Amino acid sequence: MEYIIDALPALLLGARATLWLTIRAIIFGFIGGTLLGTARLSKFKIVRLLTRAYIEFFRGTPLLVQIYWIYFGFPALFKAVGLDFTFDREFAGVLALSLNAAAYIAEIVRGGIQSIDRGQWEASSSMGLDSIQTLRYIVLPQALRRMIPPLGNEFITLLKDTSLVSVISLEELLRRGELIVATNFRAFEIYTAIGLIYLLMNLTFSQGFAWLERWTDPAEKAKRLA
């Protein structure tokens, strides 16, 4: 325990960096995923094909490869044409996580929108609302409630996936632990502590999303009002 206690301050700093990475990536991923998810339902075939190609690429390739591609691949490509260009580690990590999350969130958004009965689109059209207004005021508020469970799963998955950015020496939780192990050689104790910190964070957010799901449930709202 003494090794874990000694390492705890540094590990908590790493956990804070992990949370900050996750929050930024999920925000940008949600924005991008919402745009991609709605574009997947576009009337224009070329838009649907382009968004599908993006989604299939980022869902079909490992996140670790995407991190290498962004952090090492792009600078090498620019260098090949005579331009000196490098990514900041943190920016590259957030970018890779956001692009990957957007692909998964896009399918969550698409599924949520398509789960709403088609009759609501027709009713909104008869009331004079265009497709954008219908999506914004009628469909998305209902779809969002249905998207909470899969979005919660994606958030937790993304939280764990931040450990992959340690390969570009970004000092999140796992990287901090690796640096500590390199000095005291207590791999079992430190990695156990890292696993427990991840578990605690994931359990906390799981409960948070479960509460949010109950809070947005119309039946639960009716009970609270009663």
Side-chain angles (χ1 to χ4, degrees), residues 58-70 93 95-101 104 157-158 160-165 167:
F58 280 96
R59 291 178 68 191
T61 56
L63 177 55
L64 185 60
V65 174
Q66 295 164 21
I67 294 170
Y68 280 132
W69 179 56
I70 290 171
L95 179 61
L97 293 169
S98 300
L99 292 175
N100 182 270
Y104 288 92
T157 299
L158 188 62
K160 293 183 290 185
D161 285 346
T162 56
S163 61
L164 295 175
V165 300
V167 299

Side-chain angles (χ1 to χ4, degrees), residues 155-157 159-160 197-207:
F155 182 91
I156 290 169
T157 299
L159 179 65
K160 293 183 290 185
I197 292 172
Y198 273 117
L199 179 62
L200 180 61
M201 290 192 294
N202 286 328
L203 288 175
T204 301
F205 285 110
S206 293
Q207 292 301 311

Side-chain angles (χ1 to χ4, degrees), residues 79 118 157 175 182 195-196 221 226:
K79 190 174 182 179
R118 190 66 194 174
T157 299
R175 180 60 179 170
L196 290 174
K221 281 186 176 182

Side-chain angles (χ1 to χ4, degrees), residues 116 120-121 124 129 133-143:
I116 303 302
Q120 298 205 30
W121 291 86
S124 300
L129 298 177
Q133 290 173 323
T134 301
L135 186 65
R136 179 180 177 184
Y137 297 112
I138 306 298
V139 175
L140 275 181
Q142 297 178 74

Side-chain angles (χ1 to χ4, degrees), residues 69-120:
W69 179 56
I70 290 171
Y71 187 68
F72 296 111
F74 271 115
L77 181 63
F78 279 98
K79 190 174 182 179
V81 296
L83 297 175
D84 188 15
F85 174 80
T86 56
F87 272 122
D88 175 73
R89 286 190 180 93
E90 189 169 358
F91 178 81
V94 172
L95 179 61
L97 293 169
S98 300
L99 292 175
N100 182 270
Y104 288 92
I105 293 173
E107 290 298 277
I108 294 172
V109 171
R110 180 184 64 82
I113 291 172
Q114 289 184 321
S115 71
I116 303 302
D117 189 83
R118 190 66 194 174
Q120 298 205 30

